[in-house]
């Protein structure tokens, strides 16, 4: 801020944290305004230092405008966070609320706001803030500015050499190179070029025809405008709208993003990663942005993938990790737009059936890696299982109740500081450059983990695999010290060895360039709520990856850990973050979780472990590091329904080895009815797992074990009902394993949305609470509370009720079964076995 204009700390950060769905009280919004958009200018002032009034001094296209008084918007905490909430104040109660906050000595800030605009394309706005409307800053004292951007039609022309170029105002912006890819696949290569690259432009757009097997791609101008036609045999499955391409441009002609209007009409559209809101995304505008939305995801997702398809015969994939959006209105043109932080983009088009398109996409990006067969056995987990005694207690209780267990996920095993040392382990802090060994630690007999190796060996002897929780950050010292203090208040001995080792590790990582950096080169600190202030591992740095995993090698090599729950990966805020391999935040926000989880998966493989990672966040290529789960969900029927949609959409995006937390993991316990209905569905799901959130050990206990749910709900019958379904799961293992091998070979999911196999059936296009599990079982979960029946759609073929046995009467498909009985204990989930096509 200008010293000549501002006498108080008036805080304005135009871009803030560049959060995708919110903006802070001190930001400009939109951050980069487009033509026709009104603009909000936010400002914060520390409480107890606030002026009587603040003004925006500004000029438009060089002309000074009347000073704008800002209005008082509300109060917000004095902290840096992309989730900062403003407590709105009405005028009548404003002064009283301010006096209360001042009297409490709260670390608050007063938020101010002014609105300007809208503006037209090319307008230049310069502005600053002052406590006086008479300020008249000279040009260099307008600290902030923006130029209005706009989407502009790009002209597609044939250049002098016969190549295709995209022009704006007769200047070339991109070279377009259509090519045949794999079977039924076409690639549109878009490459930035010099403005004069097109040379002499021909009089008309030449026709480009590419034939690839039975598919063809045509780009021509015969309709009077450039158009793209994609067809199979003699039928066009896709025709672009006019204009075919648009560019988001600055007034100076800098291309920021490109839009392909790929379809002139509305089409059903599926895929696009793990989606919680709807399976068919038609009528929505899903964006491609990795984002940690704690529960109630709505249209946000941990796991976007820029690939989707229409059952009308076409698919589309953006081979980039940049932010993107698909605009899929119910009627009218459909489009995709993508930022261009680099030199270009490959955009792939596919023709064929949904299965053919999914096969082509996974041939391009990699067929799913086949995980070991043990992932299909029942998993158990609880965030408060923080001791060896507790783990063994739950395993032995499971055995006593006749509940098979194949995998134990241990989240609360580590010191909550280094995340590679067991809680309570004693050791001498050492050189971070040196690998660790099991012999470096002493495990107190009275501690939480008196014999980790003995425990893991015993679990292996019982046929149970062990998965440990991980996170890719260096926890802030402030948060570590707070947790140490909490341990002391609880009568627990602070783990000072881990604190010192953490200090050494963090200093070593920062010194060697192993952490993500801000645009100014300083180490980046996560401003998010979860692990606030933490440094984030730069997973693009090979030396950082090797060093990070060397600290954890003993867990695999000596303890025999079978996998890692690779949580998080959504800790990046800011498009200008710097990474070792030259990429910026604009490209790594989406790519980070895939690179991070691949690091762990590759380490397991290198250690000779037939193991897996278990991740909630991901992106294109995450099928190369199985497995995944749906993330954080409430224990409600609504969340149950959304989780089914998430699993089906992930499967249609090439992610087959997926699961979720049975009945949700957060909040009050599920009812016994919900828990059993969800267990029934999970028995016919790629991964069957229950898990519960940390609740600080407050009563009542929130473990999602069947006996705890049964005890607290007063429903003792639930334990045997759960045991029966988990035993059924074990009986289904040969079938599931075979289906899993088929998924790895074809790229098709185990949990198959009906549109995949019956794309012409309009009923199958709209159903999102039924699916095929493998090739033979039609699963219809009961997803409404207190329901004892539901409508079921049987696709074409012949079916019989799975629960009624092999002698059950045959049911003809291609029809609805209305109010089909689903009694809770006898048929917790409806399942129909395919007898004939």
């Amino acid at each position: 801020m200008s010293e000549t204009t501002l006498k108080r700390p008036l805080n304005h950060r135009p871009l803030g944290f560049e959060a995708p769905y919110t903006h802070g009280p001190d930001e400009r919004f939109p951050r980069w305004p487009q033509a026709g958009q009104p603009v909000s200018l936010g400002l914060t002032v520390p409480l107890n230092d606030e002026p009587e009034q603040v003004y925006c001094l500004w000029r438009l296209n060089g002309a000074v405008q009347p000073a704008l008084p800002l209005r008082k918007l509300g109060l917000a905490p004095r902290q840096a966070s992309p989730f900062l909430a403003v407590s709105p104040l009405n005028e009548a109660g404003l002064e009283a609320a301010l006096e209360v906050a001042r009297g409490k000595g709260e670390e608050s800030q007063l938020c101010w706001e002014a609105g300007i605009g809208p503006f037209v394309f090319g307008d230049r706005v310069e502005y600053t803030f002052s406590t006086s409307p008479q300020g008249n800053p000279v040009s260099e004292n307008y600290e902030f500015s923006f130029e209005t951007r706009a989407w502009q039609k790009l002209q597609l022309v044939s250049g002098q050499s016969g190549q295709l170029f995209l022009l704006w105002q007769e200047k070339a912006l991109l070279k377009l190179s259509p090519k045949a890819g794999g079977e039924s696949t076409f690639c549109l290569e878009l490459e930035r070029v010099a403005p004069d690259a097109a040379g002499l432009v021909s009089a008309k757009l030449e026709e480009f025809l590419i034939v690839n097997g039975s598919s063809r791609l045509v780009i021509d101008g015969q309709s009077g405008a450039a158009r793209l036609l994609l067809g199979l045999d003699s039928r066009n499955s896709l025709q672009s709208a006019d204009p075919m391409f648009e560019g988001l441009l600055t007034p100076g002609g800098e291309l920021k993003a490109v839009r392909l209007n790929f379809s002139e009409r509305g089409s059903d559209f599926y895929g696009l990663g793990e989606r919680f809101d709807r399976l068919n995304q038609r009528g929505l505008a899903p964006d491609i942005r990795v984002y940690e939305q704690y529960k109630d995801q709505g249209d946000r997702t941990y796991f976007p993938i820029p690939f989707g398809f229409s059952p009308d015969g076409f698919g589309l994939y953006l081979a980039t990790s940049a932010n993107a959006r698909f605009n899929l209105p119910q009627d009218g043109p459909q489009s995709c737009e993508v930022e261009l932080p680099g030199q270009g983009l490959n955009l792939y088009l596919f023709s064929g059936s949904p299965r053919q398109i999914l096969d082509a996409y996974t041939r391009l990006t990699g067929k799913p890696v086949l995980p070991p067969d043990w992932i299909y056995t029942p998993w158990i987990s609880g965030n408060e299982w923080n001791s060896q005694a507790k783990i063994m207690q739950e395993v032995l209780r499971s055995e006593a109740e006749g509940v098979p267990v194949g995998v134990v996920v241990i989240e609360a095993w580590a010191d909550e500081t280094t995340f590679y040392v067991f809680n309570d382990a004693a050791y001498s802090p050492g050189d971070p450059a040196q690998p660790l060994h099991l012999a470096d630690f002493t495990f107190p007999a009275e501690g939480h983990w008196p014999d980790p190796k003995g425990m893991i060996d015993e679990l292996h002897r019982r046929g149970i695999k062990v998965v440990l929780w991980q996170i890719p950050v260096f926890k802030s010292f402030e948060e570590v010290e707070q947790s140490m203090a909490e341990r002391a208040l609880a009568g627990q001995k602070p783990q000072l060895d881990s604190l010192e080792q953490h200090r050494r590790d963090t200093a070593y990582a920062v010194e060697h360039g192993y952490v993500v950096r801000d645009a100014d080169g300083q180490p980046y600190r996560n401003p998010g709520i979860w692990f606030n202030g933490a440094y984030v591992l730069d997973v693009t740095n090979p030396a950082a990856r090797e060093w990070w995993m060397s600290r954890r090698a003993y867990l695999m090599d000596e303890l025999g850990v079978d996998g890692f729950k690779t949580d998080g990966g959504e800790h990046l805020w800011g498009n200008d973050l710097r990474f070792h391999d030259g990429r910026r935040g604009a490209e790594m926000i989406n790519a980070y979780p895939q690179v991070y989880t691949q690091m762990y998966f590759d380490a397991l493989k290198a250690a000779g472990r037939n193991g897996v990672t278990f991740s909630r966040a991901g992106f294109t290529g995450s099928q190369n590091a199985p497995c995944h789960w749906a993330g954080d969900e409430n224990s409600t029927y609504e969340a149950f329904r959304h989780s089914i949609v998430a699993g089906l959409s992930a499967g249609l995006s090439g992610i087959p080895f997926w699961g979720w937390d049975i009945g949700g993991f957060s909040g009050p316990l599920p009812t016994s009815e919900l828990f059993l209905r969800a267990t029934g569905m999970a028995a016919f799901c790629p991964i069957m797992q229950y898990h519960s959130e940390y609740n600080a050990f407050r009563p009542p206990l929130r473990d999602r074990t069947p006996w705890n749910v049964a005890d607290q709900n007063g429903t003792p019958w639930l334990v045997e009902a759960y045991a029966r379904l988990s035993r059924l799961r074990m009986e289904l293992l040969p079938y599931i394993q075979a289906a899993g091998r088929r998924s790895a070979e074809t790229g098709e999911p185990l949990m198959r949305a009906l549109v995949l196999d019956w794309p012409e059936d309009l009923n199958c296009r709209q159903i999102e609470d039924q699916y095929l599990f493998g090739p033979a079982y039609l699963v219809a979960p009961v997803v409404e509370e207190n329901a004892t029946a539901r409508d079921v759609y049987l696709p074409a073929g012949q079916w019989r009720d799975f629960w009624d046995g092999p002698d059950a009467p045959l049911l003809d498909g291609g029809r609805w079964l209305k109010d089909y009985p689903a009694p809770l204990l006898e048929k917790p989930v409806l399942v129909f076995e395919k007898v004939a096509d």
Side-chain angles (χ1 to χ4, degrees):
M1 297 295 176
S2 169
E3 292 296 329
T4 62
T5 307
L6 306 178
K7 303 299 183 183
R8 299 171 186 270
L10 310 181
N11 305 310
H12 175 65
R13 300 175 310 140
L15 304 184
F17 295 104
E18 298 181 283
Y21 306 111
T22 59
H23 64 279
D26 58 355
E27 295 182 30
R28 179 174 69 220
F29 189 80
R31 300 179 181 99
W32 297 109
Q34 296 178 26
Q37 292 180 329
V39 181
S40 168
L41 302 176
L43 184 81
T44 59
V45 183
L47 201 61
N48 294 319
D49 199 19
E50 74 271 14
E52 288 296 322
Q53 181 62 56
V54 180
Y55 298 88
C56 176
L57 308 180
W58 66 298
R59 62 185 187 181
L60 174 62
N61 299 325
V64 175
Q65 305 295 307
L68 288 174
L70 278 70
R71 68 182 183 93
K72 295 177 181 178
L73 192 63
L75 291 172
R78 288 182 63 182
Q79 66 183 78
S81 170
F83 302 102
L84 207 59
V86 178
S87 300
L89 300 173
N90 59 56
E91 189 172 347
L94 175 63
E95 290 305 322
L98 290 176
E99 286 302 317
V100 170
R102 293 189 192 104
K104 291 181 178 179
E106 292 181 353
E107 286 289 306
S108 298
Q109 54 189 347
L110 182 59
C111 306
W112 303 70
E113 186 264 349
I116 57 176
F119 303 101
V120 299
F121 178 49
D123 277 347
R124 177 173 175 80
V125 177
E126 300 164 278
Y127 64 97
T128 189
F129 300 96
S130 172
T131 56
S132 169
Q134 275 69 49
N136 186 25
V138 295
S139 174
E140 59 268 22
N141 287 332
Y142 285 98
E143 285 85 1
F144 311 105
S145 65
F146 62 85
E147 293 181 324
T148 310
R149 304 172 177 184
W151 287 98
Q152 300 286 313
K153 177 179 179 178
L154 301 182
Q155 183 184 7
L156 183 61
V157 302
S158 299
Q160 189 176 29
S161 61
Q163 296 175 312
L164 296 177
F165 292 90
L166 291 168
L167 275 60
W168 180 67
Q169 294 186 346
E170 299 184 356
K171 294 181 180 179
L173 298 177
L174 295 168
K175 181 173 72 173
L176 172 61
S177 302
K179 299 178 180 179
E183 184 177 349
S184 301
T185 303
F186 301 91
C187 178
L188 303 181
E189 291 184 0
L190 295 170
E191 180 185 359
R192 291 186 187 270
V193 293
D196 59 352
L200 296 176
V201 176
S202 64
K204 74 169 189 175
L205 175 63
E206 301 291 340
E207 180 181 278
F208 275 70
L209 170 63
I210 303 175
V211 177
N212 186 358
S214 58
S215 300
R216 71 187 186 286
L217 177 70
V218 178
I219 298 177
D220 67 21
Q222 294 182 9
S223 61
R227 65 174 183 173
L228 176 149
L229 301 171
L230 179 70
L232 186 66
D233 299 321
S234 60
R235 183 174 66 92
N236 287 330
S237 56
L238 179 65
Q239 178 171 327
S240 64
D242 181 36
M244 186 163 75
F245 282 102
E246 295 174 273
L248 180 61
L249 292 157
T250 67
E254 183 182 359
L255 183 64
K256 293 295 185 179
V258 66
R259 175 188 291 157
L260 170 64
N261 295 300
F262 60 81
S263 178
E264 66 177 358
R265 60 184 178 85
S267 295
D268 295 332
F269 207 84
Y270 302 83
L272 300 177
E274 184 184 59
R275 297 286 161 179
F276 292 82
D277 48 359
R278 286 220 311 258
L279 184 61
N280 185 354
Q281 291 287 301
R282 182 177 182 176
L284 304 177
D287 63 351
I288 304 298
R289 176 60 152 79
V290 167
Y291 188 82
E292 183 206 349
Q293 173 66 42
Y294 176 64
K295 305 188 295 186
D296 301 318
Q297 282 79 10
D299 60 358
R300 304 170 188 181
T301 179
Y302 306 103
F303 203 148
I305 293 178
F307 160 77
F309 67 85
S310 168
D312 293 330
F314 68 89
L316 190 148
Y317 163 55
L318 304 173
T320 177
S321 58
N323 292 331
R325 179 180 296 276
F326 284 74
N327 300 297
L328 306 169
Q330 190 72 25
D331 300 303
Q334 295 183 328
S335 66
C336 60
E337 57 192 55
V338 57
E339 296 176 5
L340 290 177
Q343 290 303 305
L345 164 73
N346 284 353
L347 190 156
Y348 289 88
L349 297 169
F350 309 97
S351 64
S353 69
R355 292 175 63 179
Q356 290 170 326
I357 291 169
L358 191 53
D359 175 65
Y361 165 73
T362 53
R363 285 181 186 274
L364 186 66
T365 60
K367 292 296 180 185
V369 169
L370 181 66
D373 285 346
W374 57 258
I375 71 147
Y376 307 118
T377 60
W379 297 40
I380 64 172
S381 177
N383 199 292
E384 294 185 341
W385 298 3
N386 66 345
S387 69
Q388 181 173 333
K390 179 63 174 176
I391 295 296
M392 295 311 300
Q393 173 189 330
E394 296 301 339
V395 167
L396 294 175
R397 177 69 184 269
S398 298
E399 291 182 356
E401 299 288 357
V403 173
V405 175
V407 183
V408 174
V409 180
I410 310 178
E411 289 206 354
W413 68 278
D415 53 13
E416 292 295 317
T417 306
T418 68
F419 296 107
Y420 59 74
V421 176
F422 274 84
N423 191 10
D424 283 345
Y427 63 103
S428 298
D431 182 355
Q434 301 302 314
L436 293 167
H437 301 283
L438 185 60
D440 295 331
F441 303 100
T442 300
F443 301 98
E446 70 281 3
H448 286 74
W449 308 95
D451 185 8
K453 179 168 173 52
M455 177 192 69
I456 293 173
D457 287 347
E458 175 62 18
L459 291 172
H460 284 167
R461 188 186 69 79
R462 295 173 180 270
I464 300 171
K465 303 297 183 181
V466 177
V467 174
L468 300 183
W469 187 89
Q470 287 288 274
I471 196 78
V473 302
F474 299 86
K475 198 172 184 178
S476 73
F477 294 116
E478 295 86 352
E479 191 173 356
V480 169
E481 289 165 354
Q482 180 182 349
S483 64
M484 291 282 183
E486 291 172 354
R487 285 170 60 91
L489 287 174
Q492 300 175 15
K493 179 182 176 182
Q495 200 160 351
L496 300 180
D497 294 343
S498 287
L499 177 58
E500 175 57 27
Q501 187 64 60
H502 182 55
R503 291 186 188 278
R504 297 185 186 189
D505 288 351
T506 303
Y508 182 86
V510 170
E511 177 186 352
H512 286 78
Y514 291 172
V515 297
V516 178
R517 296 189 179 269
D518 283 317
D520 62 3
Q522 294 300 307
Y524 162 78
R525 300 191 70 177
N526 171 35
I529 294 174
W530 198 37
F531 290 98
N532 179 261
Y535 297 116
V536 178
L537 181 70
D538 185 348
V539 293
T540 73
N541 187 334
R545 293 197 301 267
E546 182 178 359
W547 172 77
W548 182 269
M549 295 311 304
S550 75
R551 308 298 289 167
R552 293 150 176 79
Y554 83 97
L555 299 171
M556 298 172 280
D557 297 338
E558 298 184 73
L559 289 179
V561 167
D562 302 289
F564 293 103
K565 186 172 184 176
T566 37
D567 207 349
E570 318 97 344
H571 312 288
L572 303 181
W573 303 88
N575 290 334
D576 281 334
L577 297 178
R578 301 298 201 264
F579 291 81
H580 175 82
D581 68 354
R583 281 184 281 182
R584 304 287 179 91
E587 296 172 279
M588 280 303 298
I589 288 171
N590 284 334
Y592 190 96
Q594 187 276 320
V595 182
Y596 150 52
T597 55
Q598 193 70 50
M599 171 181 70
Y600 275 85
F601 189 83
D602 291 345
L604 285 161
K605 186 176 180 180
R609 306 299 300 163
N610 189 20
V612 298
T613 50
F614 194 42
S615 315
R616 73 178 183 188
F619 194 65
T620 308
S622 287
Q623 69 270 23
N624 298 312
C627 304
H628 300 89
W629 95 100
D632 301 336
E633 287 291 351
N634 283 313
S635 291
T636 64
Y637 272 95
E638 180 183 20
F640 181 18
R641 292 189 291 271
H642 288 308
S643 294
I644 295 172
V645 172
L648 294 177
S649 60
L652 293 179
S653 305
I655 306 297
F657 304 111
W658 175 95
W660 66 300
D661 300 329
I662 293 173
F665 96 128
S666 180
L669 288 177
T671 65
S672 295
E673 177 200 345
L674 171 57
F675 190 78
L676 188 57
R677 293 296 193 191
T679 300
M681 175 266 170
F684 293 86
C685 175
I687 293 175
M688 181 183 183
Q689 178 203 235
Y690 66 72
H691 176 55
S692 55
E693 187 177 36
Y694 181 71
N695 191 42
F697 301 95
R698 294 183 295 250
L701 182 65
R702 288 187 172 177
D703 277 3
R704 266 60 174 173
T705 60
W707 28 93
N708 187 55
V709 176
D711 288 347
Q712 294 200 32
N713 289 334
T715 53
W717 51 262
L718 177 63
V719 176
E720 175 52 32
Y722 179 91
R724 186 168 63 250
L725 285 168
S726 60
R727 292 193 294 268
L728 170 63
R729 173 71 173 204
M730 298 300 288
E731 295 171 7
L732 290 171
L733 285 182
Y735 170 84
I736 302 172
Q737 291 161 3
R741 289 191 292 273
R742 186 171 181 269
S743 288
E745 293 167 0
T746 64
E748 297 176 12
L750 279 81
M751 189 174 165
R752 306 166 66 87
L754 300 186
V755 69
L756 188 65
D757 293 280
W758 293 278
E760 303 298 328
D761 188 326
L762 298 183
N763 287 305
C764 291
R765 291 191 180 197
Q766 303 308 320
I767 291 172
E768 56 184 20
D769 62 354
Q770 294 182 212
Y771 58 90
L772 280 184
F773 184 51
Y777 293 122
L778 177 70
V779 182
V782 179
V783 294
E784 299 291 341
E785 189 171 12
N786 298 323
T788 57
R790 63 156 290 173
D791 294 346
V792 178
Y793 183 73
L794 297 182
Q798 285 193 314
W799 307 83
R800 64 183 168 211
D801 190 319
F802 170 84
W803 299 108
D804 292 343
D807 296 327
L810 297 183
L811 302 168
D812 290 328
R815 64 188 177 110
W816 285 94
L817 304 179
K818 296 293 185 178
D819 291 322
Y820 195 86
L824 177 62
L825 293 179
E826 291 80 7
K827 297 180 180 180
V829 58
L830 292 178
V831 182
F832 297 86
E833 185 177 4
K834 184 190 291 186
V835 178
D837 292 327

